[in-house]
Amino acid sequence: MSANTRVDIRIRKAKVADAAGIARVQIDTWRSSYTGIVPTEHLSGLSYENCESRWNDVLTTNRADVIVLVAETAEDEVVGFASGGPEREKNSVYLGELYSIYILREYQRRKLGRRLVVAVSRFLLSVGLCSMLLWVLKDNHPSRRFYESFGGEEVSKKDILIGGASISEVAYGWKTIANLAD
Ligand SMILES: CC(C)(COP(=O)(O)OP(=O)(O)OC[C@H]1O[C@@H](n2cnc3c(N)ncnc32)[C@H](O)[C@@H]1OP(=O)(O)O)[C@@H](O)C(=O)NCCC(=O)NCCS
């Protein structure tokens, strides 16, 4: 699909039956975005079945304070997703967290990411979480530009282990997300 192709994509709350579609987007997007950042053997060893099983658990649990959204084509193909809920490391400033956001490469840069962030922000506000942070791989520069495009400020950093390699992450924070949800 060329960069100018118009796509009719809807954003909706994920159902348990979306676990396989979400896993496909997550693994395919990891592979297309993280090559050169995350060890190749780790990327090639990722299992669609294991990933689907984890999403199946999340979607079956269906926590009231956690949201999973999918971006879906008119042909019912999941091409992106995002999830969010309470911040997970007891941060005293940032109450909500964008846990994940992934869009298949051929659907990137069509404002789907922006639409997903708006939808997650609205949900976080609706459950009383009025600020947000997220973690991104330090060398994932395109995504960092994306977060900076709507005012994210670098607020923390840490190293994590992925596939046996120590990889740096940075956190972006928004002290209020009222304007993101507009
Ligand atoms: C990061 C991601 C979610 C952004 O979603 P998207 O739909 O591609 O981005 P949008 O079209 O909503 O972009 C909105 C704005 O963000 C900025 N932006 C987005 N992608 C960018 C890029 N690759 N380079 C520079 N700026 C970018 C631009 O300002 C863009 O506005 P513009 O297109 O009018 O210039 C998506 O590209 C993606 O899934 N990337 C791979 C996976 C990933 O890294 N996920 C994040 C893990 S923390």
Side-chain angles (χ1 to χ4, degrees):
M1 186 167 45
S2 85
N4 293 322
T5 306
R6 284 180 63 87
V7 282
D8 176 20
I9 308 286
R10 59 183 168 260
I11 308 279
R12 64 161 173 81
K13 196 167 181 294
K15 301 176 283 202
V16 177
D18 293 315
I22 293 172
R24 185 181 72 90
V25 170
Q26 181 158 14
I27 289 186
D28 290 355
T29 310
W30 264 63
R31 287 180 175 152
S32 64
S33 305
Y34 294 169
T35 299
I37 304 177
V38 167
T40 311
E41 316 77 61
H42 180 75
L43 292 176
S44 50
L46 292 170
S47 153
Y48 290 105
E49 291 74 21
N50 292 349
C51 191
E52 176 181 345
S53 169
R54 284 194 297 274
W55 280 108
N56 193 68
D57 289 347
V58 171
L59 294 166
T60 306
T61 305
N62 194 22
R63 273 175 54 169
D65 57 351
V66 169
I67 191 145
V68 184
L69 294 161
V70 291
E72 180 181 67
T73 65
E75 291 75 37
D76 300 339
E77 182 196 2
V78 174
V79 296
F81 72 92
S83 64
E87 194 275 337
R88 294 173 288 190
E89 294 177 353
K90 301 201 182 341
N91 190 293
S92 57
V93 177
Y94 300 98
L95 303 176
E97 181 172 345
L98 181 68
Y99 298 145
S100 60
I101 180 164
Y102 292 97
I103 295 162
L104 289 179
R105 169 150 283 180
E106 57 269 41
Y107 287 88
Q108 290 173 14
R109 216 66 197 262
R110 288 173 177 75
K111 299 287 191 276
L112 277 181
R114 179 77 205 185
R115 286 171 62 193
L116 284 166
V117 167
V118 168
V120 169
S121 301
R122 285 184 181 153
F123 170 79
L124 293 177
L125 284 172
S126 77
V127 293
L129 303 170
C130 53
S131 51
M132 181 176 86
L133 69 61
L134 59 85
W135 289 95
V136 55
L137 302 182
K138 183 167 180 273
D139 291 339
N140 184 355
H141 298 290
S143 297
R144 294 181 63 178
R145 299 295 89 78
F146 169 67
Y147 300 129
E148 288 160 7
S149 79
F150 47 94
E153 290 177 1
E154 223 179 299
V155 293
S156 190
K157 57 187 177 183
K158 66 181 175 186
D159 291 337
I160 57 166
L161 271 182
I162 305 182
S166 175
I167 299 183
S168 299
E169 284 194 315
V170 294
Y172 282 89
W174 290 260
K175 288 203 175 104
T176 171
I177 53 173
N179 48 344
L180 285 186
D182 277 347

